[in-house]
Structures are given as C-alpha cells and as structure tokens.
Amino acid sequence: TCMDCRIDPASAFGISLGDAHVIRNAGGSAREALRSLVVSQQLLQTNEVFVIKHTHCGMMGITNEEINDTVEQNLGQEALAELNGLDWLPFADLEQGVRDDVKFLEESKAVPDAVHVSGWVYDVEDGKVHSVGL
C-alpha cells in the first residue's frame, strides 16, 4: 500500500497486529515492493498479496519530469544527478494503476503461481475499500 498516513489497512481489512506484512511505499507500487514481497513469501511463507492504492494519491496524475523538477528545485543538481534515471512510478488512473500492479505480480517469475494477488482501492475519506476487477 501507499505510505500515506491516512491509510489504515488493518482497520479496512480487519487485520490484527501480527497478521500481515504491510509494505508501504509512495504510490503503493508493486514494482517497488517486489523485493520485500519476495522476502515475505520466501522467508516468511506468506501466500497472499493485496495491492492497495488510494483516492487522492499524490503519485496519481504527476509525471517523472515534475518530480525530478521538484527534486532539483528543492535539493539541487547534485541530488538530481544521484537519482538519475529513477522511475518514480507515477500512475494516471487509480483503478488501472491497481490492475497494472496486480498483472505485474501475477506475471512475475519471482511470485509463485500459488500466491493469490488481488487489487483494492482505499477511500481516504471514509476508510472503506473496494475490490478492483481485472
């Protein structure tokens, strides 16, 4: 899921402390989370993944160029050079972003076929989630 502090996956899904590995990053990117997902599945035997993006996400509708411009403006050219080529993984459409991430995980050789992957949208206004069909 996204690192946004408005998201409470435990409450939304009725998960108790210790019941799930919650992997957070900007935009809830499955690509960025893959390293942690492999550790979770291979070393800790988890067998289910919820891809969760949320309404009003700052990574939706922004571009790599806009983020790079902000980095350069706030941190300078050296910081931008250090991050050269980094894909910030923005997305244009919320539900399509979920579908794309679910598809990425389902097609990844690093995620076993036995792992169930599903996609969800979390509404930051009411804390409710809805499933995203593929």
Side-chain angles (χ1 to χ4, degrees):
T1 189
C2 188
M3 63 187 198
D4 190 306
C5 62
R6 298 173 292 177
I7 300 172
D8 183 3
S11 176
F13 290 96
I15 300 168
S16 297
L17 184 63
D19 286 348
H21 300 156
V22 179
I23 301 166
R24 293 179 177 261
N25 62 57
S29 170
R31 291 178 189 279
E32 186 172 319
L34 185 59
R35 177 183 157 275
S36 295
L37 288 170
V38 169
V39 169
S40 176
Q41 293 163 12
Q42 298 305 306
L43 302 180
L44 304 168
Q45 286 71 53
T46 58
N47 59 12
E48 187 167 13
V49 175
F50 287 13
V51 173
I52 308 167
K53 294 190 184 291
H54 67 91
T55 57
H56 310 294
C57 183
M59 294 303 289
M60 185 171 60
I62 196 165
T63 65
N64 279 325
E65 183 177 89
E66 290 171 307
I67 297 170
N68 286 333
D69 288 347
T70 300
V71 168
E72 184 175 23
Q73 178 182 343
N74 294 339
L75 301 175
Q77 186 63 39
E78 288 181 4
L80 182 61
E82 185 177 321
L83 300 169
N84 184 34
L86 184 64
D87 184 352
W88 297 101
L89 304 169
F91 53 96
D93 178 87
L94 183 58
E95 291 201 4
Q96 189 59 50
V98 172
R99 285 186 203 95
D100 291 346
D101 276 0
V102 168
K103 181 178 178 187
F104 168 77
L105 292 176
E106 289 179 337
E107 292 178 353
S108 174
K109 300 299 182 201
V111 177
D113 291 340
V115 172
H116 177 72
V117 181
S118 60
W120 302 84
V121 168
Y122 181 96
D123 189 321
V124 295
E125 293 180 19
D126 63 16
K128 294 184 180 173
V129 292
H130 72 267
S131 177
V132 175
L134 304 178

PDB file of all heavy atoms in Angstrom, residues 28 33 39 41 44 62 70 73 77 79 82 94 97 102 120 125:
ATOM      1  N   GLY A  28       2.070   3.117  -3.510  1.00  0.00           N
ATOM      2  CA  GLY A  28       1.675   1.714  -3.354  1.00  0.00           C
ATOM      3  C   GLY A  28       2.141   0.856  -4.521  1.00  0.00           C
ATOM      4  O   GLY A  28       1.427  -0.031  -4.983  1.00  0.00           O
ATOM      5  N   ALA A  33       7.801  -2.670  -4.357  1.00  0.00           N
ATOM      6  CA  ALA A  33       7.619  -3.571  -3.217  1.00  0.00           C
ATOM      7  C   ALA A  33       8.114  -4.991  -3.478  1.00  0.00           C
ATOM      8  O   ALA A  33       8.183  -5.794  -2.545  1.00  0.00           O
ATOM      9  CB  ALA A  33       6.139  -3.619  -2.834  1.00  0.00           C
ATOM     10  N   VAL A  39      10.916 -11.516  -0.002  1.00  0.00           N
ATOM     11  CA  VAL A  39      11.356 -11.882   1.350  1.00  0.00           C
ATOM     12  C   VAL A  39      10.175 -12.407   2.160  1.00  0.00           C
ATOM     13  O   VAL A  39      10.260 -13.448   2.825  1.00  0.00           O
ATOM     14  CB  VAL A  39      12.025 -10.682   2.060  1.00  0.00           C
ATOM     15  CG1 VAL A  39      12.237 -10.972   3.537  1.00  0.00           C
ATOM     16  CG2 VAL A  39      13.346 -10.334   1.386  1.00  0.00           C
ATOM     17  N   GLN A  41       7.399 -13.785   1.150  1.00  0.00           N
ATOM     18  CA  GLN A  41       6.912 -15.081   0.674  1.00  0.00           C
ATOM     19  C   GLN A  41       7.927 -16.201   0.852  1.00  0.00           C
ATOM     20  O   GLN A  41       7.576 -17.296   1.293  1.00  0.00           O
ATOM     21  CB  GLN A  41       6.524 -14.969  -0.804  1.00  0.00           C
ATOM     22  CG  GLN A  41       5.327 -14.082  -1.022  1.00  0.00           C
ATOM     23  CD  GLN A  41       5.188 -13.631  -2.450  1.00  0.00           C
ATOM     24  OE1 GLN A  41       5.841 -14.127  -3.351  1.00  0.00           O
ATOM     25  NE2 GLN A  41       4.315 -12.657  -2.656  1.00  0.00           N
ATOM     26  N   LEU A  44       9.275 -16.024   4.933  1.00  0.00           N
ATOM     27  CA  LEU A  44       8.267 -15.980   5.989  1.00  0.00           C
ATOM     28  C   LEU A  44       6.953 -16.655   5.595  1.00  0.00           C
ATOM     29  O   LEU A  44       5.970 -16.587   6.311  1.00  0.00           O
ATOM     30  CB  LEU A  44       8.039 -14.524   6.412  1.00  0.00           C
ATOM     31  CG  LEU A  44       9.324 -13.819   6.864  1.00  0.00           C
ATOM     32  CD1 LEU A  44       9.109 -12.322   6.979  1.00  0.00           C
ATOM     33  CD2 LEU A  44       9.818 -14.401   8.175  1.00  0.00           C
ATOM     34  N   ILE A  62       0.790  12.804 -11.673  1.00  0.00           N
ATOM     35  CA  ILE A  62       2.056  13.545 -11.716  1.00  0.00           C
ATOM     36  C   ILE A  62       2.997  12.794 -12.663  1.00  0.00           C
ATOM     37  O   ILE A  62       2.749  11.633 -12.986  1.00  0.00           O
ATOM     38  CB  ILE A  62       2.652  13.691 -10.295  1.00  0.00           C
ATOM     39  CG1 ILE A  62       3.717  14.771 -10.261  1.00  0.00           C
ATOM     40  CG2 ILE A  62       3.141  12.364  -9.754  1.00  0.00           C
ATOM     41  CD1 ILE A  62       4.095  15.211  -8.855  1.00  0.00           C
ATOM     42  N   THR A  70      11.000  19.055  -9.086  1.00  0.00           N
ATOM     43  CA  THR A  70      10.856  19.380  -7.667  1.00  0.00           C
ATOM     44  C   THR A  70      12.122  19.015  -6.896  1.00  0.00           C
ATOM     45  O   THR A  70      12.593  19.781  -6.047  1.00  0.00           O
ATOM     46  CB  THR A  70       9.631  18.658  -7.062  1.00  0.00           C
ATOM     47  OG1 THR A  70       8.465  19.078  -7.762  1.00  0.00           O
ATOM     48  CG2 THR A  70       9.483  18.953  -5.581  1.00  0.00           C
ATOM     49  N   GLN A  73      14.777  21.582  -7.797  1.00  0.00           N
ATOM     50  CA  GLN A  73      14.473  22.875  -7.182  1.00  0.00           C
ATOM     51  C   GLN A  73      14.760  22.865  -5.683  1.00  0.00           C
ATOM     52  O   GLN A  73      15.337  23.801  -5.134  1.00  0.00           O
ATOM     53  CB  GLN A  73      13.014  23.236  -7.427  1.00  0.00           C
ATOM     54  CG  GLN A  73      12.584  24.544  -6.788  1.00  0.00           C
ATOM     55  CD  GLN A  73      11.102  24.823  -7.030  1.00  0.00           C
ATOM     56  OE1 GLN A  73      10.465  24.242  -7.896  1.00  0.00           O
ATOM     57  NE2 GLN A  73      10.542  25.721  -6.244  1.00  0.00           N
ATOM     58  N   GLN A  77      21.084  20.239  -8.131  1.00  0.00           N
ATOM     59  CA  GLN A  77      21.507  19.426  -9.276  1.00  0.00           C
ATOM     60  C   GLN A  77      22.226  18.144  -8.858  1.00  0.00           C
ATOM     61  O   GLN A  77      22.056  17.106  -9.476  1.00  0.00           O
ATOM     62  CB  GLN A  77      22.403  20.267 -10.193  1.00  0.00           C
ATOM     63  CG  GLN A  77      22.794  19.577 -11.483  1.00  0.00           C
ATOM     64  CD  GLN A  77      21.606  19.257 -12.371  1.00  0.00           C
ATOM     65  OE1 GLN A  77      20.679  20.036 -12.485  1.00  0.00           O
ATOM     66  NE2 GLN A  77      21.627  18.089 -12.985  1.00  0.00           N
ATOM     67  N   ALA A  79      21.762  16.303  -6.176  1.00  0.00           N
ATOM     68  CA  ALA A  79      20.762  15.320  -5.728  1.00  0.00           C
ATOM     69  C   ALA A  79      20.040  14.723  -6.929  1.00  0.00           C
ATOM     70  O   ALA A  79      19.817  13.506  -6.984  1.00  0.00           O
ATOM     71  CB  ALA A  79      19.765  15.969  -4.779  1.00  0.00           C
ATOM     72  N   GLU A  82      22.244  12.226  -8.592  1.00  0.00           N
ATOM     73  CA  GLU A  82      22.321  10.983  -7.815  1.00  0.00           C
ATOM     74  C   GLU A  82      21.126  10.079  -8.101  1.00  0.00           C
ATOM     75  O   GLU A  82      21.226   8.859  -8.065  1.00  0.00           O
ATOM     76  CB  GLU A  82      22.383  11.322  -6.326  1.00  0.00           C
ATOM     77  CG  GLU A  82      22.594  10.136  -5.434  1.00  0.00           C
ATOM     78  CD  GLU A  82      22.733  10.539  -3.971  1.00  0.00           C
ATOM     79  OE1 GLU A  82      23.373  11.571  -3.676  1.00  0.00           O
ATOM     80  OE2 GLU A  82      22.176   9.814  -3.128  1.00  0.00           O
ATOM     81  N   LEU A  94      -6.357   5.612 -11.226  1.00  0.00           N
ATOM     82  CA  LEU A  94      -6.307   4.850  -9.979  1.00  0.00           C
ATOM     83  C   LEU A  94      -6.565   3.359 -10.178  1.00  0.00           C
ATOM     84  O   LEU A  94      -5.734   2.519  -9.832  1.00  0.00           O
ATOM     85  CB  LEU A  94      -7.303   5.445  -8.980  1.00  0.00           C
ATOM     86  CG  LEU A  94      -7.352   4.839  -7.593  1.00  0.00           C
ATOM     87  CD1 LEU A  94      -6.003   4.919  -6.901  1.00  0.00           C
ATOM     88  CD2 LEU A  94      -8.420   5.550  -6.759  1.00  0.00           C
ATOM     89  N   GLY A  97      -4.056   1.686 -12.405  1.00  0.00           N
ATOM     90  CA  GLY A  97      -2.801   1.500 -11.685  1.00  0.00           C
ATOM     91  C   GLY A  97      -2.817   0.247 -10.832  1.00  0.00           C
ATOM     92  O   GLY A  97      -1.829  -0.489 -10.764  1.00  0.00           O
ATOM     93  N   VAL A 102      -1.294  -5.525 -10.183  1.00  0.00           N
ATOM     94  CA  VAL A 102      -1.712  -6.924  -9.999  1.00  0.00           C
ATOM     95  C   VAL A 102      -1.167  -7.770 -11.150  1.00  0.00           C
ATOM     96  O   VAL A 102      -0.599  -8.844 -10.929  1.00  0.00           O
ATOM     97  CB  VAL A 102      -3.249  -7.033  -9.901  1.00  0.00           C
ATOM     98  CG1 VAL A 102      -3.696  -8.482 -10.014  1.00  0.00           C
ATOM     99  CG2 VAL A 102      -3.746  -6.416  -8.599  1.00  0.00           C
ATOM    100  N   TRP A 120      -7.134  -3.554  -4.775  1.00  0.00           N
ATOM    101  CA  TRP A 120      -8.091  -2.805  -3.970  1.00  0.00           C
ATOM    102  C   TRP A 120      -7.853  -1.301  -4.083  1.00  0.00           C
ATOM    103  O   TRP A 120      -6.720  -0.864  -4.297  1.00  0.00           O
ATOM    104  CB  TRP A 120      -7.952  -3.199  -2.498  1.00  0.00           C
ATOM    105  CG  TRP A 120      -8.166  -4.660  -2.271  1.00  0.00           C
ATOM    106  CD1 TRP A 120      -7.248  -5.667  -2.401  1.00  0.00           C
ATOM    107  CD2 TRP A 120      -9.388  -5.286  -1.908  1.00  0.00           C
ATOM    108  NE1 TRP A 120      -7.820  -6.881  -2.129  1.00  0.00           N
ATOM    109  CE2 TRP A 120      -9.147  -6.681  -1.815  1.00  0.00           C
ATOM    110  CE3 TRP A 120     -10.676  -4.819  -1.628  1.00  0.00           C
ATOM    111  CZ2 TRP A 120     -10.127  -7.593  -1.482  1.00  0.00           C
ATOM    112  CZ3 TRP A 120     -11.644  -5.729  -1.291  1.00  0.00           C
ATOM    113  CH2 TRP A 120     -11.371  -7.098  -1.219  1.00  0.00           C
ATOM    114  N   GLU A 125     -11.417   9.197   2.394  1.00  0.00           N
ATOM    115  CA  GLU A 125     -12.461   9.992   3.044  1.00  0.00           C
ATOM    116  C   GLU A 125     -13.303   9.179   4.016  1.00  0.00           C
ATOM    117  O   GLU A 125     -13.711   9.689   5.054  1.00  0.00           O
ATOM    118  CB  GLU A 125     -13.332  10.665   1.989  1.00  0.00           C
ATOM    119  CG  GLU A 125     -12.545  11.721   1.216  1.00  0.00           C
ATOM    120  CD  GLU A 125     -13.372  12.423   0.155  1.00  0.00           C
ATOM    121  OE1 GLU A 125     -14.610  12.372   0.222  1.00  0.00           O
ATOM    122  OE2 GLU A 125     -12.753  13.030  -0.723  1.00  0.00           O
TER     123      GLU A 125
END
